[in-house]
Amino acid sequence: MGDQELREALRQIQSICDESNGRTQLFRSGSHGHLNGIRHYYESSSQDARFSVEPGSAEDLSKIMQVIKAYPVPFAVKGGGHTSNPGFSSTPGIQISLLRFNKISFNDNKTELTVGAGCAFDEIYKVIRPENYNIVGGGGSVGIGGWMMGGGYSLKTNQYGLGIDNLVRSQIVLPDGRRVTASADAESDIFWAIKGGGNNFGIATEFVLKTHRQGTNGNGYVYGGLLTFDKARVERVKKAIVNFMKMNDPKAAIEAVFRFYRNHGVQEVLFPTPFGIFKFTVLAFYDDKKPEGYEPFSDFLAIPHQGRLTNSRYTELDAAKTLLYSHIPADVATSILSTHEDNDFAPMHFPSPDIPGIGVISARARWGSVMVSKYTPNLINVVEEEAKAAKRLMQQFKGRMVMAEIWPFLPTMFDRSVDSAWPHRRGEPNGPLVVYFMWEGTENDEVWINQMMTALDHIHRIALEEKCTTPSAPVYCNTTLEDVTTPEQIYRDNLDRLSALRISYDPDNVMGRTGGFRIPFPSSPATVDEH
């Protein structure tokens, strides 16, 4: 990165900001605005960019992209900043934050919802909840941009497919600064490409999504909650998971998580506890009131547990919020579990970030996954085994949390799928079995990343033996490690078409200066960017 090029880019982008009358703003390193611009969910995902800019309109973003195209400087685009892979939405160069793209609005008959690319799902759900409508969406703190352009798994996937199957159209700023509105009927090639193609083709600024009435006749209800089990109940819970997978109700979903954590902060100092406190949790979610005549989660409720399941006039927001137990500091999670064990859908309030640096959580983390079509008892046992193996590293290598997740889907999960860059076809069920590690200290990065690769290799081998996956299953880019996955593994038979589109829409390889899984030009090998 040349200082002269960066200074000139800075000068021109500052001029764009000045002409916008405050609509678009540039922040230099050291300012509070710059800190917010570069801040990611984990400190390990952030970098100290030379400056950050918040475009206030697609027009201004178009001008900024023209400047970036003219100068060979690195840049990054951040929506929610939830990725755990360093360099995927951060940079030492120019950080573009989409925070100001925050429009949320229904169309006249509420069949579509327009959402700005800078929105997190929490704020989306809060807008649509009073209307008793919902969308196929993700966890509350997750930003819609990266989630959508990666594919978008949801608690509603059994019914409606992925997020990209519910995308009606999108506004995109192309690498050369052109602005297009892409749909199945207009700019259809780029529309196909962004549905799972990540940030390879430009910057999406707005999404228009299909909406769905929440509950029967739009009654606004969901049924469920978070159940917590101690180690003495694990074998019974594993059997209940296997039985649950025999049920064929697309409204019912679970996420079962083996987790080990340690207390954090003041509570740890005052009340020292061993590393590797164990919890086995089951998020139970039914996309309506509890059905009459049967209990979809009866096998779990028959096992002694903490927490309870209730009908609630809330949307997926409140079920998805319980997923935050996977990410927040363990002492806070323990406190919330205790406080809300009798009302799992009560509003949750979290403390201010505990960090002096540039992450919402002052820890380092990675997501990894193995794609599976189903779970067998043996595969579930191996998932537990790998969680326990990682737990044994926690004390020596400053582990904060170890998590391994079982998220079963129905064989019909992709019956509503549409043709997209990320291959997910009818009759080919495929979902991420997620492994998540959180720790402290850059000196421990190698240990934890190597442990994750070991765990994923073992789980993948057993999944192949159990016929729970195939060697050609497409990898989900939103939950995979940066250095062990190639574009061929993500896009499979779609890669050639995507490569041709990349050279057509970005012949100067402008988006090659961002992070992420880079779709290669036809003549270059398919590899992951160096970050």
Side-chain angles (χ1 to χ4, degrees):
M1 175 173 55
D3 280 349
Q4 183 60 39
E5 288 88 354
L6 195 60
R7 281 196 295 269
E8 183 57 28
L10 169 62
R11 186 187 68 79
Q12 294 191 26
I13 293 174
Q14 182 65 71
S15 178
I16 294 168
C17 295
D18 293 342
E19 293 170 1
S20 75
N21 295 318
R23 178 180 59 196
T24 294
Q25 286 193 289
L26 183 145
F27 301 99
R28 290 173 173 80
S29 181
S31 68
H32 288 288
H34 179 71
L35 180 64
N36 287 330
I38 65 175
R39 188 194 306 269
H40 283 64
Y41 200 73
Y42 306 106
E43 67 175 36
S44 51
S45 303
S46 301
Q47 295 183 74
D48 189 8
R50 289 286 290 275
F51 61 91
S52 61
V53 60
E54 293 180 3
S57 69
E59 179 184 2
D60 288 350
L61 178 57
S62 171
K63 295 176 182 177
I64 291 167
M65 287 305 296
Q66 291 174 43
V67 172
I68 288 173
K69 181 177 182 293
Y71 296 94
V73 294
F75 71 102
V77 183
K78 187 189 74 151
H82 207 277
T83 180
S84 68
N85 287 335
F88 273 44
S89 57
S90 63
T91 178
I94 300 172
Q95 178 76 64
I96 298 173
S97 170
L98 300 180
L99 182 67
R100 298 184 184 218
F101 290 96
N102 60 355
K103 175 183 178 181
I104 305 172
S105 63
F106 285 102
N107 65 349
D108 289 342
N109 58 9
K110 298 183 180 177
T111 58
E112 297 176 357
L113 186 75
T114 298
V115 180
C119 292
F121 282 105
D122 254 353
E123 59 183 310
I124 299 171
Y125 296 140
K126 287 176 181 176
V127 170
I128 64 178
R129 174 168 56 188
E131 306 296 333
N132 289 345
Y133 278 85
N134 210 338
I135 59 171
V136 175
S141 62
V142 174
I144 188 173
W147 179 89
M148 177 66 72
M149 296 175 78
Y153 281 86
S154 169
L155 293 169
K156 290 177 176 282
T157 287
N158 279 332
Q159 298 175 84
Y160 305 114
L162 301 180
I164 53 178
D165 298 321
N166 292 268
L167 182 62
V168 178
R169 60 186 174 275
S170 180
Q171 291 188 8
I172 304 155
V173 175
L174 298 176
D176 62 3
R178 286 181 295 150
R179 291 178 285 156
V180 299
T181 298
S183 68
D185 300 318
E187 303 285 352
S188 57
D189 279 343
I190 199 72
F191 185 62
W192 176 85
I194 68 166
K195 290 187 294 182
N199 63 350
N200 281 278
F201 297 93
I203 304 173
T205 60
E206 184 177 278
F207 304 99
V208 179
L209 316 173
K210 294 177 185 177
T211 62
H212 305 282
R213 299 289 298 276
Q214 180 58 46
T216 302
N217 299 319
N219 62 26
Y221 276 92
V222 296
Y223 170 66
L226 188 73
L227 305 178
T228 304
F229 304 89
D230 62 32
K231 63 178 65 177
R233 321 294 180 185
V234 168
E235 293 305 315
R236 291 181 63 185
V237 177
K238 289 193 291 186
K239 290 178 182 178
I241 293 170
V242 173
N243 289 336
F244 176 83
M245 289 186 292
K246 300 173 184 176
M247 191 170 64
N248 194 33
D249 188 340
K251 291 186 176 183
I254 63 167
E255 291 187 54
V257 182
F258 297 98
R259 71 184 76 227
F260 296 92
Y261 64 90
R262 70 173 172 86
N263 280 345
H264 175 68
V266 174
Q267 185 170 342
E268 182 182 10
V269 174
L270 296 178
F271 307 101
T273 56
F275 283 76
I277 300 170
F278 175 75
K279 293 285 185 181
F280 192 18
T281 60
V282 174
L283 170 66
F285 176 79
Y286 193 83
D287 199 25
D288 206 336
K289 280 188 173 181
K290 178 183 174 182
E292 295 184 7
Y294 86 104
E295 168 56 70
F297 309 109
S298 59
D299 286 349
F300 299 103
L301 293 174
I303 304 169
H305 59 272
Q306 290 180 302
R308 67 189 182 97
L309 308 186
T310 61
N311 287 316
S312 177
R313 287 187 60 82
Y314 288 137
T315 65
E316 190 176 13
L317 161 66
D318 300 274
K321 267 194 173 181
T322 61
L323 299 180
L324 292 179
Y325 292 131
S326 302
H327 315 306
I328 60 176
D331 58 331
V332 182
T334 304
S335 173
I336 293 171
L337 280 169
S338 174
T339 303
H340 296 293
E341 64 181 17
D342 291 326
N343 186 0
D344 291 295
F345 289 99
M348 300 176 190
H349 303 282
F350 303 109
S352 299
D354 60 347
I355 96 171
I358 50 174
V360 174
I361 289 179
S362 58
R364 311 180 68 76
R366 287 294 192 281
W367 297 95
S369 63
V370 173
M371 303 305 291
V372 297
S373 59
K374 62 182 180 180
Y375 291 83
T376 62
N378 191 32
L379 180 59
I380 295 172
N381 288 339
V382 170
V383 173
E384 179 188 14
E385 177 185 331
E386 288 302 330
K388 288 180 177 178
K391 174 257 183 184
R392 290 191 284 269
L393 301 176
M394 292 182 72
Q395 184 163 5
Q396 183 178 358
F397 298 105
K398 296 185 179 179
R400 284 271 291 273
M401 183 171 290
V402 165
M403 182 187 88
E405 176 182 286
I406 299 161
W407 188 2
F409 291 96
L410 292 176
T412 55
M413 63 185 294
F414 291 149
D415 277 6
R416 293 194 180 195
S417 69
V418 297
D419 190 26
S420 307
W422 193 65
H424 61 296
R425 301 180 179 99
R426 181 174 299 186
E428 299 179 10
N430 195 25
L433 186 168
V434 176
V435 176
Y436 166 75
F437 298 159
M438 185 166 68
W439 66 93
E440 296 171 0
T442 57
E443 70 278 8
N444 295 312
D445 287 359
E446 183 176 356
V447 168
W448 285 105
I449 293 170
N450 286 342
Q451 182 65 30
M452 178 167 286
M453 289 191 289
T454 298
L456 294 174
D457 285 346
H458 186 199
I459 292 169
H460 186 250
R461 177 170 56 82
I462 299 303
L464 286 169
E465 292 175 2
E466 297 282 305
K467 300 188 185 310
C468 297
T469 191
T470 66
S472 61
V475 175
Y476 184 47
C477 68
N478 283 358
T479 55
T480 191
L481 280 172
E482 68 270 27
D483 292 327
V484 299
T485 305
T486 66
E488 291 101 334
Q489 294 170 314
I490 297 170
Y491 299 109
R492 300 299 182 185
D493 293 343
N494 288 343
L495 187 63
D496 286 345
R497 180 181 174 187
L498 286 164
S499 293
L501 288 173
R502 262 219 77 200
I503 201 167
S504 175
Y505 280 93
D506 189 15
D508 298 315
N509 198 21
V510 175
M511 300 309 294
R513 291 188 253 132
T514 65
F517 293 103
R518 202 83 287 126
I519 292 168
F521 287 165
S523 60
S524 63
T527 58
V528 180
D529 271 359
E530 295 293 332
H531 301 299

